[in-house]
Amino acid sequence: LLASLSLLLGTTITISSNHWLMAWIGLEINTLAIIPMISKPHHPRAVEAAVKYFLVQATASALLLFSSMINAWSSGQWDITQMTHPVPCLLMTTAIAMKLGLVPFHFWFPEVLQGTSLTTALLLSTLTKLPPLTLLLLTSHSLNPTLLTTMAIASTALGGWMGLNQTQIRKILAFSSISHLGWMTVIILYYPKLTLLTFYLYTMLTTTVFLTLNVTKTLNLQTMMITWTKAPTLNTTLMLTLLSLAGLPPLTGFLPKWLILQELTNQELTPTATIIAMLSLLGLFFYLRLTYYSTITLPPNSTTHMKQWHTNSPTSTIIAPLTSSSILLLPLSPM
C-alpha cells in the first residue's frame, strides 16, 4: 500500500512540477516505490529484474540531474520548459529515453517485465511511463527533431522485429510497449496532444490485456493455447483487445495510429509516415499470433497440455468497462 501511494505521489510531483529538482525528486520517489514491487516474488529472476531496473533508472536520473544542472549553469534558471543549450538537450533526450525504454536504451525493459508478476508489469508499462513522457512533452520544443524521429522509427522497428520470435507473453507486451512509445515520440513535436491521447488509449488497452491475462494466469504462448476452457468469453474479448492493440480499423487502437499518420502527412512528413505505417505491420504479425493462440486453436487439434477446468473465479469488475472501451471507442474520434 505504501509503495502504491509513493508511486502515485512521485508521478504527481513530476507531472505538476516546474522546477527541474522537483521533477527529479518525483522520478526518484517513483523508482524507489516500484523496486519493492518488482522484487516481491521471492525468486532470483525477480531480484535480478529489480537490480537491472534500479541501475538503469539511477543512471537516467543522474543524467537528468546533470543535464538540468548544465542548463541552469548556462542559462541561470531551473525552469523545465526553458532548455536552451544543445548539450543539456542531448543529455535530456538520453535520460528520458532511458527512463521510457526507447531504442537504443530499451534493453532493460523486456528483461525487467519478464522477471516480475503481471500486475507489476502492468504498472511498469503504464504508470511509470507517465512522468518521463510528461517531461518529454514539456521539453520537446527544444529537443532535436531529427534525433527524436530517428529514435521513434528505430523503436517502432525494433519493437516489431524483436516481438516476432518471443514465446513469453510479458516480453511480447514489452516489445509492443516499445513500438507504441515510438508512435508517441514521432508525433510529440508536431502535435503533443496526440501523444497524450495515444498514451491514454495505450494505457487502457494494455491494462485490459494484463488484467485478462492475470485472471487466466497466462504467461506464455503454450499455456495460452489451453486458456479457452478456463474462461471462454473472456478469451474472445481478449482476442478483440489484442487486435485493437495491433491497430485494426473498426477497433479503438486504430484511432491514435490514424490521427498520427494524418498529422504526419499534414506536416509533409510523408516518408516518416510511410515507414512507421509499414513497421506497424511487424507488430500486427505477433498480435495476430497471440490472437490465434488465444482463440483459434480450438479442438479437434491435439495439444500436449492437459485441458484446464472452467474457472468460476469472479473476474474483476473493472475488466468489463475496460474491454468495452478498448474495442468500441473509435466512433468517438475527434474529426
Side-chain angles (χ1 to χ4, degrees), residues 91-130:
L91 282 170
M92 195 65 232
T93 317
T94 314
I96 292 180
M98 274 175 118
K99 285 260 174 213
L100 284 172
L102 275 172
V103 174
F105 308 104
H106 62 279
F107 297 102
W108 62 274
F109 190 52
E111 295 296 322
V112 171
L113 241 61
Q114 185 53 34
T116 66
S117 65
L118 281 168
T119 36
T120 316
L122 167 63
L123 282 176
L124 278 171
S125 34
T126 54
L127 189 63
T128 51
K129 293 264 189 277
L130 188 54

mmCIF file of all heavy atoms in Angstrom, residues 91-130:
data_model
loop_
_atom_site.group_PDB
_atom_site.id
_atom_site.type_symbol
_atom_site.label_atom_id
_atom_site.label_comp_id
_atom_site.label_asym_id
_atom_site.label_seq_id
_atom_site.Cartn_x
_atom_site.Cartn_y
_atom_site.Cartn_z
ATOM 1 N N LEU A 91 21.617 15.465 -23.506
ATOM 2 C CA LEU A 91 21.638 14.636 -22.297
ATOM 3 C C LEU A 91 20.224 14.334 -21.818
ATOM 4 O O LEU A 91 19.915 13.231 -21.378
ATOM 5 C CB LEU A 91 22.403 15.359 -21.187
ATOM 6 C CG LEU A 91 23.925 15.330 -21.284
ATOM 7 C CD1 LEU A 91 24.539 16.268 -20.284
ATOM 8 C CD2 LEU A 91 24.428 13.914 -21.045
ATOM 9 N N MET A 92 19.360 15.348 -21.944
ATOM 10 C CA MET A 92 17.963 15.218 -21.540
ATOM 11 C C MET A 92 17.279 14.119 -22.350
ATOM 12 O O MET A 92 16.594 13.245 -21.810
ATOM 13 C CB MET A 92 17.292 16.562 -21.835
ATOM 14 C CG MET A 92 15.988 16.747 -21.193
ATOM 15 S SD MET A 92 16.256 16.781 -19.448
ATOM 16 C CE MET A 92 15.108 15.577 -18.968
ATOM 17 N N THR A 93 17.480 14.188 -23.692
ATOM 18 C CA THR A 93 16.890 13.175 -24.572
ATOM 19 C C THR A 93 17.351 11.784 -24.164
ATOM 20 O O THR A 93 16.544 10.856 -24.068
ATOM 21 C CB THR A 93 17.295 13.439 -26.043
ATOM 22 O OG1 THR A 93 17.188 14.834 -26.297
ATOM 23 C CG2 THR A 93 16.399 12.690 -26.997
ATOM 24 N N THR A 94 18.663 11.663 -23.886
ATOM 25 C CA THR A 94 19.208 10.363 -23.475
ATOM 26 C C THR A 94 18.557 9.875 -22.187
ATOM 27 O O THR A 94 18.116 8.725 -22.093
ATOM 28 C CB THR A 94 20.729 10.482 -23.257
ATOM 29 O OG1 THR A 94 21.288 11.184 -24.354
ATOM 30 C CG2 THR A 94 21.368 9.122 -23.153
ATOM 31 N N ALA A 95 18.468 10.790 -21.193
ATOM 32 C CA ALA A 95 17.916 10.399 -19.896
ATOM 33 C C ALA A 95 16.466 9.955 -20.030
ATOM 34 O O ALA A 95 16.062 8.915 -19.500
ATOM 35 C CB ALA A 95 18.024 11.562 -18.920
ATOM 36 N N ILE A 96 15.673 10.730 -20.772
ATOM 37 C CA ILE A 96 14.255 10.385 -20.907
ATOM 38 C C ILE A 96 14.081 9.090 -21.687
ATOM 39 O O ILE A 96 13.234 8.257 -21.363
ATOM 40 C CB ILE A 96 13.489 11.556 -21.559
ATOM 41 C CG1 ILE A 96 13.448 12.726 -20.591
ATOM 42 C CG2 ILE A 96 12.079 11.142 -21.914
ATOM 43 C CD1 ILE A 96 12.738 13.931 -21.102
ATOM 44 N N ALA A 97 14.918 8.919 -22.716
ATOM 45 C CA ALA A 97 14.834 7.678 -23.497
ATOM 46 C C ALA A 97 15.163 6.470 -22.614
ATOM 47 O O ALA A 97 14.545 5.414 -22.730
ATOM 48 C CB ALA A 97 15.779 7.737 -24.683
ATOM 49 N N MET A 98 16.124 6.631 -21.709
ATOM 50 C CA MET A 98 16.454 5.536 -20.794
ATOM 51 C C MET A 98 15.286 5.250 -19.861
ATOM 52 O O MET A 98 14.952 4.102 -19.585
ATOM 53 C CB MET A 98 17.673 5.897 -19.953
ATOM 54 C CG MET A 98 18.975 5.564 -20.616
ATOM 55 S SD MET A 98 20.304 6.149 -19.607
ATOM 56 C CE MET A 98 21.118 4.649 -19.210
ATOM 57 N N LYS A 99 14.660 6.315 -19.350
ATOM 58 C CA LYS A 99 13.524 6.148 -18.444
ATOM 59 C C LYS A 99 12.371 5.430 -19.144
ATOM 60 O O LYS A 99 11.696 4.586 -18.560
ATOM 61 C CB LYS A 99 13.031 7.514 -17.962
ATOM 62 C CG LYS A 99 13.928 8.148 -16.943
ATOM 63 C CD LYS A 99 13.356 7.946 -15.556
ATOM 64 C CE LYS A 99 14.293 8.429 -14.490
ATOM 65 N NZ LYS A 99 14.217 7.641 -13.270
ATOM 66 N N LEU A 100 12.134 5.808 -20.408
ATOM 67 C CA LEU A 100 10.980 5.267 -21.127
ATOM 68 C C LEU A 100 11.260 3.895 -21.720
ATOM 69 O O LEU A 100 10.353 3.103 -21.909
ATOM 70 C CB LEU A 100 10.584 6.210 -22.270
ATOM 71 C CG LEU A 100 9.834 7.485 -21.909
ATOM 72 C CD1 LEU A 100 9.720 8.366 -23.131
ATOM 73 C CD2 LEU A 100 8.463 7.163 -21.377
ATOM 74 N N GLY A 101 12.534 3.640 -22.045
ATOM 75 C CA GLY A 101 12.863 2.406 -22.747
ATOM 76 C C GLY A 101 12.765 2.579 -24.247
ATOM 77 O O GLY A 101 12.359 1.672 -24.962
ATOM 78 N N LEU A 102 13.132 3.772 -24.732
ATOM 79 C CA LEU A 102 13.174 3.984 -26.172
ATOM 80 C C LEU A 102 14.480 3.413 -26.721
ATOM 81 O O LEU A 102 15.501 3.431 -26.029
ATOM 82 C CB LEU A 102 13.139 5.481 -26.487
ATOM 83 C CG LEU A 102 11.785 6.178 -26.562
ATOM 84 C CD1 LEU A 102 12.003 7.675 -26.694
ATOM 85 C CD2 LEU A 102 11.003 5.684 -27.756
ATOM 86 N N VAL A 103 14.453 2.919 -27.958
ATOM 87 C CA VAL A 103 15.690 2.468 -28.618
ATOM 88 C C VAL A 103 16.622 3.672 -28.685
ATOM 89 O O VAL A 103 16.155 4.772 -28.973
ATOM 90 C CB VAL A 103 15.334 1.973 -30.033
ATOM 91 C CG1 VAL A 103 16.593 1.641 -30.813
ATOM 92 C CG2 VAL A 103 14.444 0.739 -29.928
ATOM 93 N N PRO A 104 17.923 3.552 -28.466
ATOM 94 C CA PRO A 104 18.745 2.382 -28.170
ATOM 95 C C PRO A 104 18.909 2.078 -26.674
ATOM 96 O O PRO A 104 19.855 1.417 -26.311
ATOM 97 C CB PRO A 104 20.086 2.771 -28.768
ATOM 98 C CG PRO A 104 20.120 4.260 -28.616
ATOM 99 C CD PRO A 104 18.714 4.733 -28.724
ATOM 100 N N PHE A 105 18.009 2.575 -25.826
ATOM 101 C CA PHE A 105 18.147 2.301 -24.385
ATOM 102 C C PHE A 105 17.022 1.395 -23.903
ATOM 103 O O PHE A 105 16.475 1.575 -22.827
ATOM 104 C CB PHE A 105 18.122 3.613 -23.596
ATOM 105 C CG PHE A 105 19.104 4.619 -24.103
ATOM 106 C CD1 PHE A 105 18.690 5.701 -24.864
ATOM 107 C CD2 PHE A 105 20.451 4.467 -23.844
ATOM 108 C CE1 PHE A 105 19.609 6.614 -25.345
ATOM 109 C CE2 PHE A 105 21.368 5.378 -24.327
ATOM 110 C CZ PHE A 105 20.952 6.458 -25.080
ATOM 111 N N HIS A 106 16.651 0.434 -24.742
ATOM 112 C CA HIS A 106 15.460 -0.364 -24.453
ATOM 113 C C HIS A 106 15.786 -1.691 -23.781
ATOM 114 O O HIS A 106 14.876 -2.401 -23.376
ATOM 115 C CB HIS A 106 14.754 -0.682 -25.758
ATOM 116 C CG HIS A 106 15.624 -1.504 -26.656
ATOM 117 N ND1 HIS A 106 16.603 -0.936 -27.436
ATOM 118 C CD2 HIS A 106 15.699 -2.837 -26.848
ATOM 119 C CE1 HIS A 106 17.241 -1.894 -28.077
ATOM 120 N NE2 HIS A 106 16.721 -3.056 -27.743
ATOM 121 N N PHE A 107 17.073 -2.045 -23.677
ATOM 122 C CA PHE A 107 17.422 -3.424 -23.316
ATOM 123 C C PHE A 107 16.869 -3.869 -21.973
ATOM 124 O O PHE A 107 16.538 -5.029 -21.782
ATOM 125 C CB PHE A 107 18.943 -3.608 -23.326
ATOM 126 C CG PHE A 107 19.535 -3.408 -24.676
ATOM 127 C CD1 PHE A 107 20.186 -2.229 -24.987
ATOM 128 C CD2 PHE A 107 19.417 -4.384 -25.654
ATOM 129 C CE1 PHE A 107 20.710 -2.035 -26.257
ATOM 130 C CE2 PHE A 107 19.946 -4.194 -26.920
ATOM 131 C CZ PHE A 107 20.589 -3.009 -27.214
ATOM 132 N N TRP A 108 16.752 -2.927 -21.020
ATOM 133 C CA TRP A 108 16.327 -3.320 -19.682
ATOM 134 C C TRP A 108 14.863 -3.705 -19.641
ATOM 135 O O TRP A 108 14.458 -4.527 -18.833
ATOM 136 C CB TRP A 108 16.588 -2.181 -18.701
ATOM 137 C CG TRP A 108 15.834 -0.925 -19.012
ATOM 138 C CD1 TRP A 108 16.238 0.066 -19.859
ATOM 139 C CD2 TRP A 108 14.562 -0.522 -18.501
ATOM 140 N NE1 TRP A 108 15.296 1.055 -19.901
ATOM 141 C CE2 TRP A 108 14.243 0.723 -19.086
ATOM 142 C CE3 TRP A 108 13.652 -1.086 -17.607
ATOM 143 C CZ2 TRP A 108 13.072 1.412 -18.807
ATOM 144 C CZ3 TRP A 108 12.477 -0.396 -17.332
ATOM 145 C CH2 TRP A 108 12.191 0.839 -17.930
ATOM 146 N N PHE A 109 14.054 -3.128 -20.514
ATOM 147 C CA PHE A 109 12.605 -3.196 -20.325
ATOM 148 C C PHE A 109 12.015 -4.609 -20.433
ATOM 149 O O PHE A 109 11.346 -5.074 -19.506
ATOM 150 C CB PHE A 109 11.930 -2.209 -21.270
ATOM 151 C CG PHE A 109 10.471 -2.012 -21.000
ATOM 152 C CD1 PHE A 109 10.051 -1.695 -19.710
ATOM 153 C CD2 PHE A 109 9.529 -2.158 -21.983
ATOM 154 C CE1 PHE A 109 8.706 -1.525 -19.427
ATOM 155 C CE2 PHE A 109 8.189 -1.991 -21.708
ATOM 156 C CZ PHE A 109 7.772 -1.671 -20.429
ATOM 157 N N PRO A 110 12.278 -5.352 -21.539
ATOM 158 C CA PRO A 110 11.717 -6.714 -21.604
ATOM 159 C C PRO A 110 12.226 -7.608 -20.484
ATOM 160 O O PRO A 110 11.459 -8.411 -19.932
ATOM 161 C CB PRO A 110 12.195 -7.233 -22.966
ATOM 162 C CG PRO A 110 12.524 -6.030 -23.745
ATOM 163 C CD PRO A 110 12.979 -5.000 -22.779
ATOM 164 N N GLU A 111 13.498 -7.444 -20.118
ATOM 165 C CA GLU A 111 14.079 -8.277 -19.055
ATOM 166 C C GLU A 111 13.382 -8.036 -17.718
ATOM 167 O O GLU A 111 13.066 -8.977 -16.987
ATOM 168 C CB GLU A 111 15.569 -7.957 -18.902
ATOM 169 C CG GLU A 111 16.412 -8.325 -20.114
ATOM 170 C CD GLU A 111 16.415 -9.820 -20.360
ATOM 171 O OE1 GLU A 111 16.445 -10.563 -19.362
ATOM 172 O OE2 GLU A 111 16.362 -10.226 -21.522
ATOM 173 N N VAL A 112 13.159 -6.760 -17.390
ATOM 174 C CA VAL A 112 12.528 -6.423 -16.119
ATOM 175 C C VAL A 112 11.088 -6.929 -16.095
ATOM 176 O O VAL A 112 10.622 -7.508 -15.117
ATOM 177 C CB VAL A 112 12.584 -4.896 -15.874
ATOM 178 C CG1 VAL A 112 11.742 -4.510 -14.680
ATOM 179 C CG2 VAL A 112 14.019 -4.457 -15.645
ATOM 180 N N LEU A 113 10.379 -6.746 -17.210
ATOM 181 C CA LEU A 113 8.989 -7.201 -17.280
ATOM 182 C C LEU A 113 8.899 -8.710 -17.112
ATOM 183 O O LEU A 113 8.009 -9.222 -16.436
ATOM 184 C CB LEU A 113 8.362 -6.791 -18.620
ATOM 185 C CG LEU A 113 7.156 -5.871 -18.484
ATOM 186 C CD1 LEU A 113 7.589 -4.594 -17.805
ATOM 187 C CD2 LEU A 113 6.548 -5.569 -19.821
ATOM 188 N N GLN A 114 9.864 -9.421 -17.730
ATOM 189 C CA GLN A 114 9.840 -10.874 -17.666
ATOM 190 C C GLN A 114 10.094 -11.371 -16.253
ATOM 191 O O GLN A 114 9.627 -12.431 -15.866
ATOM 192 C CB GLN A 114 10.886 -11.435 -18.650
ATOM 193 C CG GLN A 114 10.910 -12.927 -18.799
ATOM 194 C CD GLN A 114 9.544 -13.513 -19.136
ATOM 195 O OE1 GLN A 114 8.755 -12.911 -19.833
ATOM 196 N NE2 GLN A 114 9.262 -14.689 -18.632
ATOM 197 N N GLY A 115 10.807 -10.569 -15.452
ATOM 198 C CA GLY A 115 11.150 -11.030 -14.113
ATOM 199 C C GLY A 115 10.096 -10.759 -13.055
ATOM 200 O O GLY A 115 10.261 -11.167 -11.924
ATOM 201 N N THR A 116 9.027 -10.031 -13.416
ATOM 202 C CA THR A 116 8.067 -9.652 -12.370
ATOM 203 C C THR A 116 6.702 -10.282 -12.601
ATOM 204 O O THR A 116 6.483 -10.965 -13.582
ATOM 205 C CB THR A 116 7.855 -8.130 -12.341
ATOM 206 O OG1 THR A 116 7.220 -7.775 -13.567
ATOM 207 C CG2 THR A 116 9.147 -7.391 -12.202
ATOM 208 N N SER A 117 5.774 -10.000 -11.675
ATOM 209 C CA SER A 117 4.407 -10.503 -11.832
ATOM 210 C C SER A 117 3.664 -9.648 -12.857
ATOM 211 O O SER A 117 4.123 -8.576 -13.239
ATOM 212 C CB SER A 117 3.676 -10.416 -10.495
ATOM 213 O OG SER A 117 3.537 -9.060 -10.136
ATOM 214 N N LEU A 118 2.493 -10.147 -13.282
ATOM 215 C CA LEU A 118 1.746 -9.433 -14.320
ATOM 216 C C LEU A 118 1.276 -8.052 -13.856
ATOM 217 O O LEU A 118 1.278 -7.104 -14.647
ATOM 218 C CB LEU A 118 0.542 -10.268 -14.762
ATOM 219 C CG LEU A 118 0.861 -11.406 -15.737
ATOM 220 C CD1 LEU A 118 -0.323 -12.329 -15.877
ATOM 221 C CD2 LEU A 118 1.237 -10.860 -17.101
ATOM 222 N N THR A 119 0.867 -7.948 -12.580
ATOM 223 C CA THR A 119 0.370 -6.653 -12.115
ATOM 224 C C THR A 119 1.481 -5.603 -12.057
ATOM 225 O O THR A 119 1.283 -4.454 -12.459
ATOM 226 C CB THR A 119 -0.282 -6.790 -10.728
ATOM 227 O OG1 THR A 119 0.460 -7.751 -9.986
ATOM 228 C CG2 THR A 119 -1.712 -7.240 -10.846
ATOM 229 N N THR A 120 2.671 -6.024 -11.581
ATOM 230 C CA THR A 120 3.805 -5.094 -11.566
ATOM 231 C C THR A 120 4.211 -4.729 -12.988
ATOM 232 O O THR A 120 4.542 -3.574 -13.272
ATOM 233 C CB THR A 120 5.005 -5.721 -10.835
ATOM 234 O OG1 THR A 120 4.534 -6.343 -9.647
ATOM 235 C CG2 THR A 120 6.025 -4.688 -10.495
ATOM 236 N N ALA A 121 4.165 -5.721 -13.886
ATOM 237 C CA ALA A 121 4.494 -5.452 -15.281
ATOM 238 C C ALA A 121 3.535 -4.413 -15.861
ATOM 239 O O ALA A 121 3.941 -3.532 -16.626
ATOM 240 C CB ALA A 121 4.416 -6.742 -16.095
ATOM 241 N N LEU A 122 2.275 -4.500 -15.446
ATOM 242 C CA LEU A 122 1.288 -3.520 -15.896
ATOM 243 C C LEU A 122 1.657 -2.119 -15.419
ATOM 244 O O LEU A 122 1.654 -1.161 -16.203
ATOM 245 C CB LEU A 122 -0.096 -3.914 -15.363
ATOM 246 C CG LEU A 122 -1.206 -2.881 -15.469
ATOM 247 C CD1 LEU A 122 -1.475 -2.570 -16.928
ATOM 248 C CD2 LEU A 122 -2.468 -3.377 -14.821
ATOM 249 N N LEU A 123 2.020 -2.009 -14.126
ATOM 250 C CA LEU A 123 2.426 -0.700 -13.595
ATOM 251 C C LEU A 123 3.647 -0.172 -14.328
ATOM 252 O O LEU A 123 3.724 1.011 -14.658
ATOM 253 C CB LEU A 123 2.755 -0.820 -12.111
ATOM 254 C CG LEU A 123 1.568 -0.874 -11.157
ATOM 255 C CD1 LEU A 123 2.068 -1.089 -9.735
ATOM 256 C CD2 LEU A 123 0.766 0.405 -11.228
ATOM 257 N N LEU A 124 4.608 -1.076 -14.601
ATOM 258 C CA LEU A 124 5.843 -0.660 -15.264
ATOM 259 C C LEU A 124 5.577 -0.172 -16.681
ATOM 260 O O LEU A 124 6.239 0.732 -17.166
ATOM 261 C CB LEU A 124 6.834 -1.824 -15.314
ATOM 262 C CG LEU A 124 7.656 -2.063 -14.063
ATOM 263 C CD1 LEU A 124 8.415 -3.362 -14.185
ATOM 264 C CD2 LEU A 124 8.616 -0.917 -13.850
ATOM 265 N N SER A 125 4.601 -0.804 -17.364
ATOM 266 C CA SER A 125 4.419 -0.372 -18.750
ATOM 267 C C SER A 125 3.422 0.766 -18.887
ATOM 268 O O SER A 125 3.303 1.322 -19.962
ATOM 269 C CB SER A 125 4.031 -1.549 -19.659
ATOM 270 O OG SER A 125 3.242 -2.463 -18.991
ATOM 271 N N THR A 126 2.702 1.136 -17.809
ATOM 272 C CA THR A 126 1.780 2.263 -17.950
ATOM 273 C C THR A 126 2.134 3.420 -17.027
ATOM 274 O O THR A 126 2.594 4.459 -17.478
ATOM 275 C CB THR A 126 0.328 1.807 -17.681
ATOM 276 O OG1 THR A 126 0.286 1.173 -16.417
ATOM 277 C CG2 THR A 126 -0.140 0.859 -18.740
ATOM 278 N N LEU A 127 1.936 3.243 -15.717
ATOM 279 C CA LEU A 127 2.053 4.361 -14.785
ATOM 280 C C LEU A 127 3.459 4.952 -14.727
ATOM 281 O O LEU A 127 3.621 6.170 -14.706
ATOM 282 C CB LEU A 127 1.607 3.906 -13.383
ATOM 283 C CG LEU A 127 1.464 5.030 -12.363
ATOM 284 C CD1 LEU A 127 0.387 6.001 -12.791
ATOM 285 C CD2 LEU A 127 1.172 4.500 -10.988
ATOM 286 N N THR A 128 4.491 4.103 -14.729
ATOM 287 C CA THR A 128 5.852 4.652 -14.598
ATOM 288 C C THR A 128 6.328 5.297 -15.891
ATOM 289 O O THR A 128 7.378 5.931 -15.912
ATOM 290 C CB THR A 128 6.855 3.555 -14.201
ATOM 291 O OG1 THR A 128 6.696 2.463 -15.094
ATOM 292 C CG2 THR A 128 6.623 3.077 -12.795
ATOM 293 N N LYS A 129 5.562 5.132 -16.974
ATOM 294 C CA LYS A 129 5.949 5.794 -18.226
ATOM 295 C C LYS A 129 5.419 7.230 -18.276
ATOM 296 O O LYS A 129 5.855 8.032 -19.092
ATOM 297 C CB LYS A 129 5.354 5.030 -19.421
ATOM 298 C CG LYS A 129 5.932 3.662 -19.612
ATOM 299 C CD LYS A 129 7.037 3.704 -20.626
ATOM 300 C CE LYS A 129 7.470 2.323 -20.999
ATOM 301 N NZ LYS A 129 8.427 1.748 -20.068
ATOM 302 N N LEU A 130 4.448 7.531 -17.403
ATOM 303 C CA LEU A 130 3.821 8.848 -17.482
ATOM 304 C C LEU A 130 4.755 10.013 -17.121
ATOM 305 O O LEU A 130 4.830 10.974 -17.903
ATOM 306 C CB LEU A 130 2.554 8.857 -16.605
ATOM 307 C CG LEU A 130 1.656 10.078 -16.702
ATOM 308 C CD1 LEU A 130 1.267 10.345 -18.144
ATOM 309 C CD2 LEU A 130 0.408 9.907 -15.864
#
